[in-house]
Amino acid sequence: MRAIHISSHDGPDAIEVVDVDEPESGSVLIDVHAAGVTFPEVLQTRGKYQISPPMPFVPGSEVAGVVRSAPEGSGLAAGDRVCAMPGLGGFSEVVATDPSQVFRLPENLSFVQGASVPMNVLTVHFALSHRGRLRSGETVLVHGAGGGIGIAATQYATAVGARVIAVASTEEKRELARKAGASEAIPPDGFKDAAKELTDGRGVDIVVDPVGGDRFTDSIRALGQEGRILVIGFTGGEIPTVKVNRLLLGNKSAIGVGWGEYWMSNPGYLQKQWAEVEPLLADGKLDPLVGAELPLEKASEALQLMDGRGAVGKIVLTTR
């Protein structure tokens, strides 16, 4: 089968399209139709991600496709339309996955849309619902609102009755954020003052931050009383530091969102999450917005697009 190999740490340019053996049965075997592209894959091409197996290896942490075979008692059967989180191996034509990491795909979603769901939607659900304790009527400021996590955060917060202020770097990305349900969309420059003005000086209740970098301090300043900043990632490159007196003032909280660490140590949690988000997907309240769709052999181009923050919406690779 065709697959993508990371065989060096020389960046997205160095990945290769190869022919490898199909995985053996034993877990759920999925004929992959589409694979989502995430920022960790960019980091893996440079050896800078915490999950970095011996090379060469096939990256790819989320897929959508059709079940070829499944273990007895898994609740899955050949022919089922699913999305899944294989952890690794998704950038290929066939992948093997544990049944606990496979989810039935609502009929209204295409495979390309389905491949953009697991990592983004489940991360955002964990961040806002479990860690952030988001309540209807609160105001959420979302950084990186034109990317996969940002779009998912905007849609999920809106679906549960929150108001979203989206922060995105271009008007094209801001327009996509509005399409996802943002009440307002603003540029990064001056976002703190804009957020204060848009909330009549109160500040926002939650900041969703997958970016990090030099906007972190102003994000804390943009919070109102008992506001929470959710630390999801550092696509900006720099891991920020915080003077904790800024948390003391206003009773604010900086909350880590380690979704992967949490579900891996809490068996069954992923399926509990899916039970909550699947109705929102089926009703169209969560509607994955795919910005770029490329064939598998253009995986290098897809990762370069992600690396340069050129993506507007989710990037997906197709295999069939």
Side-chain angles (χ1 to χ4, degrees), residues 28-31 33 64-71 74-83 102-105 107 111:
V28 182
L29 278 185
I30 300 171
D31 288 321
H33 285 244
V66 178
V67 173
R68 179 188 292 186
S69 63
S74 67
L76 297 163
D80 286 347
R81 298 175 75 253
V82 296
C83 57
V102 181
F103 318 100
R104 293 184 186 277
L105 194 63
E107 290 298 324
F111 289 123

Side-chain angles (χ1 to χ4, degrees), residues 138 203-207 220 222-230 247 249-255:
E138 290 192 310
V204 301
D205 299 292
I206 292 179
V207 172
I220 294 175
L223 292 170
Q225 279 284 337
E226 298 189 67
R228 295 89 78 195
I229 182 168
L230 304 178
L247 304 179
L249 299 172
N251 296 293
K252 301 172 183 179
S253 302
I255 300 173

Side-chain angles (χ1 to χ4, degrees), residues 223-280:
L223 292 170
Q225 279 284 337
E226 298 189 67
R228 295 89 78 195
I229 182 168
L230 304 178
V231 183
I232 295 180
F234 312 104
T235 60
E238 179 187 349
I239 298 176
T241 57
V242 57
K243 294 182 178 179
V244 294
N245 67 302
R246 300 193 187 281
L247 304 179
L248 182 67
L249 299 172
N251 296 293
K252 301 172 183 179
S253 302
I255 300 173
V257 179
W259 169 65
E261 180 181 3
Y262 188 86
W263 71 255
M264 282 188 277
S265 59
N266 287 271
Y269 180 70
L270 288 176
Q271 294 297 331
K272 290 179 181 177
Q273 283 192 283
W274 193 256
E276 293 188 27
V277 303
E278 193 276 336
L280 298 176

Side-chain angles (χ1 to χ4, degrees), residues 13-162:
D13 289 346
I15 65 174
E16 303 171 312
V17 182
V18 296
D19 286 317
V20 298
D21 293 336
E22 290 186 354
E24 298 180 0
S25 58
S27 298
V28 182
L29 278 185
I30 300 171
D31 288 321
V32 177
H33 285 244
V37 179
T38 67
F39 194 68
E41 277 106 44
V42 175
L43 297 178
Q44 285 176 330
T45 68
R46 297 191 173 100
K48 293 183 177 181
Y49 191 58
Q50 56 261 40
I51 300 174
S52 187
M55 295 182 290
F57 67 93
V58 179
S61 55
E62 57 183 351
V63 301
V66 178
V67 173
R68 179 188 292 186
S69 63
E72 186 176 348
S74 67
L76 297 163
D80 286 347
R81 298 175 75 253
V82 296
C83 57
M85 292 167 35
L88 288 170
F91 288 5
S92 63
E93 293 180 314
V94 183
V95 72
T97 312
D98 187 90
S100 67
Q101 295 165 221
V102 181
F103 318 100
R104 293 184 186 277
L105 194 63
E107 290 298 324
N108 60 305
L109 294 185
S110 68
F111 289 123
V112 169
Q113 288 178 304
S116 69
V117 167
M119 297 292 286
N120 289 340
V121 171
L122 295 182
T123 295
V124 161
H125 173 268
F126 175 71
L128 287 171
S129 178
H130 185 82
R131 297 293 287 146
R133 310 296 183 191
L134 174 63
R135 297 183 295 272
S136 178
E138 290 192 310
T139 299
V140 181
L141 185 144
V142 178
H143 285 298
I149 285 287
I151 293 298
T154 297
Q155 289 190 341
Y156 183 78
T158 302
V160 300

